[in-house]
Amino acid sequence: KNEPRPAHGGGQPMKFSFVSAHFLVGCALHSCTPPSEPSCSRGLNPLGRSFGSQTAPIMNDDFLHNPWKVVPDGASEKVKAIFQFLNQNPVDIVGTQMEYEPKDVMRRQTKRPFASSPAFDLTPSDLLDPPAEGGPSHFAVVACGLLQLACGGLDECHNAVTPLSWDAPTSFAGPPIADSPARAEATYAHHLVHMREGGNVGEFGTGWNNSGYWASSLGTHPIFPQLAAAADRLCGADDSLRRKIR
């Protein structure tokens, strides 16, 4: 029923795109120093600095085509290993069936390709070196989930971001966490999870349908103009691709 289809069509192998790489780096930097204002009011460049800073967004061709080479300042050795893994092992963007099971159940599913990735046992506390004072922030939870998503851990990311973005308890992710400062980022990550779920049927219809709900729930985010600009730049001289940007 007029469900959206992936822009790349046919499930061809692609890098786990610039969109998530760019957003993830910003989230990881946010986890170092949580903002004093709501996350939706801040714009993130690829290195996570706010638009209000004196540093302009970095949008060079090296970053656009090799986003996993841009490692966040302060990243732990474990995160650096994940970025290296992703740079060497681009993800196939194909629809992936989700399990909707809690973390302890997913941990026992060691035959999945994700289980052999360096993100399999990643926790929010593993992101920074040295670790953040007072423990990991909600932004670190989102960043951890996105790193796992990039490596194929759809359920892991889903379990991480659902309590921050959904106002009801679930059997797989537990009770909600009200008024999270990272709610907008968690909502966007929730959208990306179900985009990866694709045409598979999950908790609320297909992943495409579910991702549309989360896109509508988010509405807008300061990162979107940057993503649009990057997509326009990646289109080059191909106007047929440029017409697909929305």
Side-chain angles (χ1 to χ4, degrees), residues 14-16 65-69 80-92 118 150-151:
M14 295 175 62
K15 282 189 175 181
F16 186 71
H65 293 284
N66 299 287
W68 297 112
K69 288 186 177 180
K80 291 176 183 178
I82 292 171
F83 271 64
Q84 182 178 18
F85 173 84
L86 289 166
N87 190 53
Q88 297 172 349
N89 299 275
V91 175
D92 291 349
C151 290

Side-chain angles (χ1 to χ4, degrees), residues 66-241:
N66 299 287
W68 297 112
K69 288 186 177 180
V70 180
V71 181
D73 294 337
S76 66
E77 291 302 314
K78 192 160 192 173
V79 169
K80 291 176 183 178
I82 292 171
F83 271 64
Q84 182 178 18
F85 173 84
L86 289 166
N87 190 53
Q88 297 172 349
N89 299 275
V91 175
D92 291 349
I93 304 297
V94 295
T96 301
Q97 185 70 55
M98 293 176 61
E99 302 293 333
Y100 295 93
E101 294 286 359
K103 180 170 61 176
D104 60 331
V105 173
M106 299 308 299
R107 283 286 300 162
R108 295 195 293 269
Q109 296 190 15
T110 57
K111 294 184 179 181
R112 296 177 292 157
F114 171 62
S116 63
S117 82
F120 181 63
D121 60 351
L122 186 71
T123 71
S125 298
D126 294 331
L127 296 187
L128 304 177
D129 185 17
E133 294 183 9
S137 70
H138 289 178
F139 295 97
V141 172
V142 176
C144 178
L146 281 170
L147 281 167
Q148 292 181 310
L149 175 63
C151 290
L154 278 68
D155 281 278
E156 282 73 11
C157 183
H158 194 234
N159 288 347
V161 303
T162 294
L164 303 178
S165 55
W166 181 246
D167 295 323
T170 63
S171 61
F172 48 85
I177 299 173
D179 302 319
S180 170
R183 185 178 180 101
E185 284 70 35
T187 299
Y188 184 43
H190 209 143
H191 161 71
L192 293 176
V193 168
H194 291 298
M195 286 286 284
R196 283 293 313 278
E197 188 178 26
N200 292 291
V201 176
E203 55 183 346
F204 297 114
T206 66
W208 299 124
N209 276 341
N210 207 343
S211 70
Y213 168 82
W214 289 103
S216 298
S217 296
L218 177 58
T220 188
H221 191 282
I223 200 174
F224 288 170
Q226 292 182 73
L227 297 179
D232 181 78
R233 193 162 167 177
L234 286 170
C235 287
D238 192 332
D239 289 334
S240 65
L241 283 178

Side-chain angles (χ1 to χ4, degrees), residues 22-91:
H22 181 198
F23 180 70
L24 178 144
V25 175
C27 274
L29 264 291
H30 258 308
S31 72
C32 293
T33 53
S36 58
E37 53 188 302
S39 58
C40 270
S41 68
R42 294 168 61 88
L44 303 178
N45 72 16
L47 295 182
R49 292 184 287 264
S50 71
F51 281 145
S53 71
Q54 297 180 351
T55 306
I58 298 171
M59 197 70 74
N60 57 46
D61 288 339
D62 285 342
F63 177 81
L64 293 179
H65 293 284
N66 299 287
W68 297 112
K69 288 186 177 180
V70 180
V71 181
D73 294 337
S76 66
E77 291 302 314
K78 192 160 192 173
V79 169
K80 291 176 183 178
I82 292 171
F83 271 64
Q84 182 178 18
F85 173 84
L86 289 166
N87 190 53
Q88 297 172 349
N89 299 275
V91 175

Side-chain angles (χ1 to χ4, degrees), residues 8-22:
H8 54 81
Q12 296 300 313
M14 295 175 62
K15 282 189 175 181
F16 186 71
S17 72
F18 162 86
V19 175
S20 291
H22 181 198

